[in-house]
Amino acid sequence: MGKNLNKYIKPGSTIGIIGGGQLGKMLAQSAKQMGYRVGVFDPGEDCSASQVADFHAQAAFDDQESLAKFANKVDVLTFEFENISLASLKEIVDDGAYLPQGTEILRLTQDRLTEKEFLRKSGIPVGDFSPVNNEEELIAGIKQIQYPAVLKTRRFGYDGKGQVLLKSEADLVEAKDLLHSAPCILEAFVPFKMELSHMVVRNAQGQISIFPLAENIHHHHILHQSIVPARVSKTVASEAYQVAENIAKRLDLVGIVGIEMFLADEGILVNELAPRPHNSGHYTIEACQYSQFDLHIRSICGMTLPQNELLSPVVMTNVLGQDQNQVIEEWPNHPDWHLHLYNKGEARQNRKMGHITQMADSHDPILKEFDQVGIWLNNN
Ligand code: AMP
């Protein structure tokens, strides 16, 4: 069974989420509020989402039999991360599981090369790139793209993992090591002025709802803060909006996608797509009428989509493993911090343990306060 255009999944039905991390948890919280039952499929015994869900199928992601059993117990399936086995998912969809998002979006976004080729073919602006499978192609790619460039594994990279920045020939040794571990893509290094993202939701009827533009600050390739609305000109904002709308249409999107963009000298360039809720969209829980999780659920459950206003300027700050204890100590003194903790167990260095959302009439006092608290200045 493929996409069913008019299937209204009513409250009381069961939503099955593949993946039980914080995104799964927040999806489950939103679904529970709307009156759905929630099942979570995840190998982790005490994963974040299982703490909220009605039931938890604890099995490895490649355990086909357990996945099929899980699919049989739910009315609609979704996923909170993109690196699920495409073959497994196709098999359960062929056997009748209802996955309104379809599998094509995963095929496109699981591989950086397929994704970039799709974007380029769709007329979406991207930086220069070249596939690299061996050392000859690496040298040829550098000739075409020039230094500086970034070599990335095509699959399974996140938060800067599986990436080598090539500034000169001296970096070739490290690049070759990466290349020997997996097929890669070489990208031009974009000397961006800012990183931006849009969360976009579309439903099967073609309605599109685009969340306000976020300005994203990364530390060591990990998202640190999202500042919304992004501090950009109207022209840039409308260019980014257009890019987001076009991507949703070209993908024939059902559900949500996160679009990571660079603001470069030549305008907007798309870096990456995330076919799921995204860290840079967490601000929507408090600062929009509907959160990214709410609208994803409305979409996959066959409902119309509202347009979404930003209620207030907002800053979202991530709480990483090294920040968590200090944040918990500080929290009582900050009634304006909306603290979300994901209950993920061990607070390892750079592990995303939670986030704080803060709203005010303008960004400056919020940013100043975060600097004064000092936790992030000291830990990053
Ligand atoms: P990614 O895993 O592709 O999202 O990359 C993580 C981060 O690395 C991005 O948010 C950027 O800060 C940086 N980055 C990735 N690719 C490039 C690029 N081609 N040029 C400049 N910076 C990049």
Side-chain angles (χ1 to χ4, degrees):
M1 189 166 71
K3 287 181 192 176
N4 181 331
L5 294 188
N6 292 309
K7 193 158 165 179
Y8 172 34
I9 306 290
K10 293 184 180 159
S13 311
T14 305
I15 299 177
I17 305 172
I18 303 173
Q22 66 265 26
L23 299 174
K25 179 184 179 188
M26 289 182 269
L27 261 178
Q29 284 171 321
S30 173
K32 293 290 298 172
Q33 183 182 316
M34 297 181 200
Y36 291 99
R37 293 186 76 246
V38 174
V40 166
F41 187 91
D42 190 281
E45 188 181 353
D46 190 30
C47 64
S48 293
S50 72
Q51 299 162 22
V52 179
D54 295 278
F55 65 94
H56 174 199
Q58 193 190 342
F61 288 121
D62 59 2
D63 178 346
Q64 185 70 25
E65 203 184 315
S66 300
L67 193 60
K69 261 194 207 149
F70 177 72
N72 272 332
K73 285 170 72 178
V74 305
D75 298 292
V76 57
L77 267 180
T78 188
F79 41 82
E80 61 120 42
F81 78 122
E82 54 270 48
N83 289 317
I84 314 159
S85 154
L86 195 57
S88 303
L89 211 53
K90 275 188 173 154
E91 203 174 310
I92 56 169
V93 169
D94 286 346
D95 284 345
Y98 181 53
L99 177 73
Q101 291 157 275
T103 52
E104 178 61 7
I105 189 164
L106 284 175
R107 189 188 68 79
L108 288 173
T109 56
Q110 281 181 344
D111 181 328
R112 290 183 191 273
L113 180 64
T114 322
E115 181 176 286
K116 283 260 157 61
E117 283 172 341
F118 160 78
L119 290 168
R120 186 187 265 171
K121 202 174 72 199
S122 305
I124 307 292
V126 290
D128 201 4
F129 64 89
S130 177
V132 173
N133 294 303
N134 51 49
E135 293 190 13
E136 290 76 55
E137 287 180 5
L138 176 62
I139 302 305
I142 289 171
K143 231 183 202 164
Q144 172 197 327
I145 286 169
Q146 309 280 311
Y147 293 111
V150 189
L151 188 72
K152 300 179 179 177
T153 54
R154 283 169 54 175
R155 297 171 63 93
F156 304 122
Y158 69 99
D159 289 346
K161 294 193 171 64
Q163 293 190 18
V164 173
L165 174 63
L166 286 132
K167 290 190 197 139
S168 70
E169 267 180 39
D171 299 313
L172 281 176
V173 177
E174 201 189 338
K176 284 175 186 170
D177 281 349
L178 184 66
L179 183 53
H180 291 148
S181 72
C184 288
I185 176 174
L186 188 72
E187 295 180 2
F189 178 82
V190 180
F192 55 80
K193 293 185 256 191
M194 195 183 272
E195 293 193 71
L196 300 166
S197 63
H198 255 316
M199 300 307 303
V200 187
V201 189
R202 184 176 171 278
N203 64 12
Q205 288 82 13
Q207 269 187 314
I208 292 176
S209 186
I210 302 183
F211 286 95
L213 186 64
E215 168 185 343
N216 298 321
I217 317 267
H218 291 83
H219 287 165
H220 312 295
H221 298 281
I222 301 169
L223 182 66
H224 165 55
Q225 245 167 4
S226 293
I227 299 169
V228 190
R231 296 167 294 181
V232 295
S233 68
K234 276 195 176 147
T235 315
V236 168
S238 91
E239 200 184 327
Y241 190 93
Q242 206 57 57
V243 162
E245 194 174 56
N246 287 345
I247 290 176
K249 285 181 185 164
R250 296 304 297 248
L251 282 173
D252 213 5
L253 180 70
V254 174
I256 197 161
V257 69
I259 303 169
E260 295 179 25
M261 298 171 271
F262 297 130
L263 175 57
D265 284 338
E266 58 268 53
I268 296 289
L269 297 174
V270 172
N271 174 36
E272 205 178 15
L273 306 181
R276 50 167 172 79
H278 189 263
N279 193 170
S280 69
H282 292 353
Y283 76 88
T284 59
I285 295 176
E286 285 89 5
C288 289
Q289 280 121 332
Y290 293 89
S291 75
Q292 59 170 344
F293 306 100
D294 297 339
L295 290 201
H296 177 66
I297 288 164
R298 281 192 72 90
S299 169
I300 62 167
C301 290
M303 291 184 250
T304 53
L305 300 177
Q307 287 309 312
N308 223 341
E309 296 288 317
L310 187 68
L311 303 174
S312 157
V314 57
V315 176
M316 188 285 316
T317 305
N318 269 336
V319 177
L320 302 183
Q322 61 270 34
D323 310 321
Q324 182 171 253
N325 282 343
Q326 285 165 285
V327 164
I328 290 172
E329 289 306 311
E330 268 294 328
W331 190 34
N333 307 320
H334 299 273
D336 44 350
W337 283 7
H338 293 271
L339 175 63
H340 297 241
L341 290 175
Y342 311 142
N343 306 102
K344 277 164 82 168
E346 198 193 340
R348 289 193 298 271
Q349 175 84 11
N350 288 342
R351 189 176 194 200
K352 288 176 183 169
M353 302 304 290
H355 70 269
I356 295 168
T357 303
Q358 201 177 342
M359 292 172 287
D361 292 340
S362 70
H363 299 131
D364 287 349
I366 308 178
L367 295 172
K368 218 177 258 167
E369 188 190 309
F370 274 107
D371 278 353
Q372 275 161 4
V373 169
I375 298 173
W376 292 266
L377 285 179
N378 298 332
N379 288 345
N380 285 289

